[in-house]
Amino acid sequence: MAEEPTGPPRGPVGTRDVLWPESARWEQLVARFARRARLAGYGLLVTPVLEEARLFRRGVGEASEVVTKEMYELTDRGGRHLALRPEGTAPVVRAFVQHNPPVPYKAWYVTPAFRYERPQAGRYRQHHQLGVEALGSDDPDLDVEVIALAAGFYVELGLSRVALAVNSMGCGEDRPAYLSALRAYLDTHAAELCDEHRERYGANPLRVLDCKRPACMAVTAGAPRLVDFLDAPCAAHFARVRAGLDALGVHHHLEPRLVRGLDYYTRTTFEFSDPGLESAQNAVGGGGRYDGLAEAIGGKPAPGVGFGIGIERLLLACDAEAAFAVAAPAPEVFVVDLTGGEEGRDLAEELRRAGLAAVRAFDDRSLKAQLRLADRSGARWAAVVGPAEKDKGTVQLKDLRGGSDRELPRDRLVAELSGGEVRQ
RNA sequence: GUGGCCGUAGCUCAGUUGGUUAGAGCGCCAGGUUGUGGCCCUGGAGGUCGGGGGUUCAAGUCCCCUCGGUCACCCCA
């Protein structure tokens, strides 16, 4: 247990503050995603960050790493056992089950997610995800729509190296046959597996496929493949998904060992990775179909498919590819006041009421200081009001790019700035 | 949870084999004729050297602990 800290409080380990102006990029990212989602008919869904802990135990999986080792759990003052959401899908499905909206119900979200793990490049205890979920249909074209939405988003941001891996995990019908085949294979190669999996793979042999240690990877390279065990409906579904991606020009490749760490996946799984990311965490998004999840959490059966994109990692990928540069937001007008503040106060508000982004200096700074601030603010115009202008009822309008200056009646200022006469 | 590396001004860093009042650049503030920014010049503010303990005549420099950061394993976004 950590000792009681001293000094001013700090943000908890593994969390970050995104200060302005850096946050401008974040803001833009969410806006772009929202637009894309809306174009495809996905509406914003807001759900609580807190959920009953049992939602994730049942949904994400009792034995999954995320639940057993990484979940933030707490008991509230009323004795309720709650958890901070470790991922985005289960809460969406919970809301769907609880409210039973018309299907297909297509929603997008932006949310923090919490996992108690050691932070490193591209990995935090609180990270943020952008995602969509489409519930109530098992149409493979819906898988295609969802995947294309994500793929198009990466392209829109200027990410050119993002690769899409896909796989199918089958369903409750064909999974048992595959599991026994995999188990039989692993039994004959048990001695060659990594330390962690040598003794224990019985509970969920799929985990071994996900193991990145060289020993396990060498063994699983020759293991039976999920796609070879799909029953007819699942095989047809997967074929339709891949054909749809091809038809839309969404490049992808089969990754037979892609199983992902959350237990709820069935049929389609996919993952986007950016090899441009230097760090070990180069997965910038992932998702899949989860036709058994609604039922697993106690609702009536409902299929679903969706994905999550990690905002922090996505931005790291943008840095690595020198993509998605966003200019810091700048005001249109900087109001310079030499009358003691009253004129500046009133004029700034007047401009804002007219829809112009207007800022000013405080603390009665010198003219020189105010103009310096105006320059650094990035504003195109400075509107200067001193005692002389106040008496005459005018303002000096200064073009901060060139430096030219002209005086105009104060009641003409808004019209000048918003009318296009001065704007170019 | 395990391991490597690193903690000196707001930021990026320098601080010789331990030796006076801890420095630079950038940023910030003020001034450079009474009301005009950017460039330049001058000056200024700002640091419990992450924290605690120890060694020593003397610790930013060495040792231990601790907190934090960072990277990796694992897993994932």
Side-chain angles (χ1 to χ4, degrees):
Chain A
M1 278 293 126
E3 292 177 12
E4 191 64 22
T6 58
R10 308 171 43 89
V13 173
T15 65
R16 310 177 72 80
D17 299 311
V18 184
L19 267 52
W20 178 87
E22 271 68 40
S23 58
R25 221 170 163 216
W26 189 291
E27 198 178 348
Q28 257 304 302
L29 190 79
V30 175
R32 299 268 197 111
F33 187 81
R35 177 176 167 279
R36 247 193 141 65
R38 182 171 50 74
L39 288 175
Y42 292 72
L44 175 65
L45 173 63
V46 180
T47 63
V49 170
L50 281 170
E51 293 279 356
E52 291 186 57
R54 63 194 177 115
L55 168 64
F56 301 110
R57 295 192 178 290
R58 292 185 194 169
V60 176
E62 198 75 54
S64 67
E65 290 253 319
V66 166
V67 166
T68 56
K69 299 167 61 175
E70 300 175 352
M71 202 154 71
Y72 275 88
E73 299 183 69
L74 62 110
T75 303
D76 75 6
R77 291 171 191 275
R80 284 170 280 262
H81 190 23
L82 304 176
L84 259 32
R85 59 164 51 166
E87 58 97 51
T89 301
V92 171
V93 174
R94 190 228 87 221
F96 173 81
V97 166
Q98 186 172 330
H99 301 286
N100 196 30
V103 296
Y105 188 73
K106 306 199 299 182
W108 74 274
Y109 59 82
V110 53
T111 181
F114 304 85
R115 291 178 201 167
Y116 191 88
E117 32 185 6
R118 281 284 282 273
Q120 68 186 77
R123 201 179 72 181
Y124 309 98
R125 286 186 177 173
Q126 176 178 339
H127 75 280
H128 300 263
Q129 290 191 24
L130 243 19
V132 306
E133 309 293 344
L135 291 140
S137 165
D138 66 354
D139 189 327
D141 286 351
L142 192 51
D143 303 44
V144 174
E145 176 177 290
V146 160
I147 294 170
L149 174 46
F153 185 53
Y154 296 119
V155 172
E156 176 180 342
L157 297 180
L159 260 21
S160 59
R161 293 186 289 207
V162 172
L164 168 60
V166 301
N167 192 25
S168 177
M169 301 193 55
C171 62
E173 300 299 314
D174 50 23
R175 185 82 59 81
Y178 174 72
L179 289 179
S180 55
L182 178 60
R183 212 171 257 123
Y185 173 81
L186 292 176
D187 286 344
T188 65
H189 295 275
E192 303 155 42
L193 294 172
C194 77
D195 293 346
E196 186 183 329
H197 291 114
R198 194 173 302 131
E199 304 298 331
R200 294 178 58 86
Y201 53 80
N204 189 354
L206 293 177
R207 289 264 179 278
V208 183
L209 295 180
D210 206 27
C211 184
K212 300 298 187 295
R213 293 185 226 264
C216 280
M217 289 185 75
V219 172
T220 54
R225 309 190 314 165
L226 274 156
V227 287
D228 296 325
F229 284 75
L230 299 179
D231 62 17
C234 287
H237 185 98
F238 193 42
R240 173 82 184 188
V241 170
R242 298 200 66 184
L245 292 175
D246 287 336
L248 298 185
V250 177
H251 299 296
H252 64 282
H253 63 276
L254 176 68
E255 175 47 69
R257 283 182 282 182
L258 179 64
V259 298
R260 305 182 53 75
L262 279 37
D263 288 353
Y264 50 63
Y265 287 115
T266 57
R267 292 192 165 174
T268 315
T269 55
F270 56 91
E271 198 165 276
F272 294 92
S273 58
D274 190 326
L277 276 179
E278 296 290 323
S279 71
Q281 280 69 41
N282 61 10
V284 293
R289 182 162 274 290
Y290 41 83
D291 294 341
L293 180 51
E295 194 173 7
I297 64 169
K300 64 183 185 188
V305 58
F307 66 75
I309 290 175
I311 292 182
E312 288 84 352
R313 272 187 206 174
L314 186 59
L315 256 14
L316 285 175
C318 287
D319 291 340
E321 292 205 35
F324 193 54
V326 171
E332 291 162 284
V333 196
F334 193 103
V335 177
V336 173
D337 172 290
L338 300 169
T339 70
E342 292 88 352
E343 292 297 307
R345 176 194 63 206
D346 299 347
L347 191 51
E349 180 62 13
E350 192 179 318
L351 290 163
R352 292 166 189 160
R353 287 179 183 176
L356 289 157
V359 301
R360 51 165 291 211
F362 292 94
D363 304 312
D364 205 23
R365 304 266 239 123
S366 70
L367 175 64
K368 178 176 182 167
Q370 291 192 56
L371 279 171
R372 189 165 48 227
L373 291 172
D375 184 52
R376 288 173 197 171
S377 75
R380 172 70 196 280
W381 307 104
V384 184
V385 184
E389 289 80 9
K390 183 180 180 182
D391 289 344
K392 287 186 285 182
T394 62
V395 300
Q396 292 283 344
L397 184 60
K398 185 180 186 60
D399 183 343
L400 288 168
R401 271 195 232 157
S404 65
D405 218 351
R406 68 193 179 98
E407 190 165 352
L408 65 162
R410 179 175 162 157
D411 56 19
R412 287 280 306 144
L413 182 63
V414 167
E416 289 284 327
L417 290 176
S418 53
E421 292 172 65
V422 177
R423 276 173 147 178
Q424 278 139 24

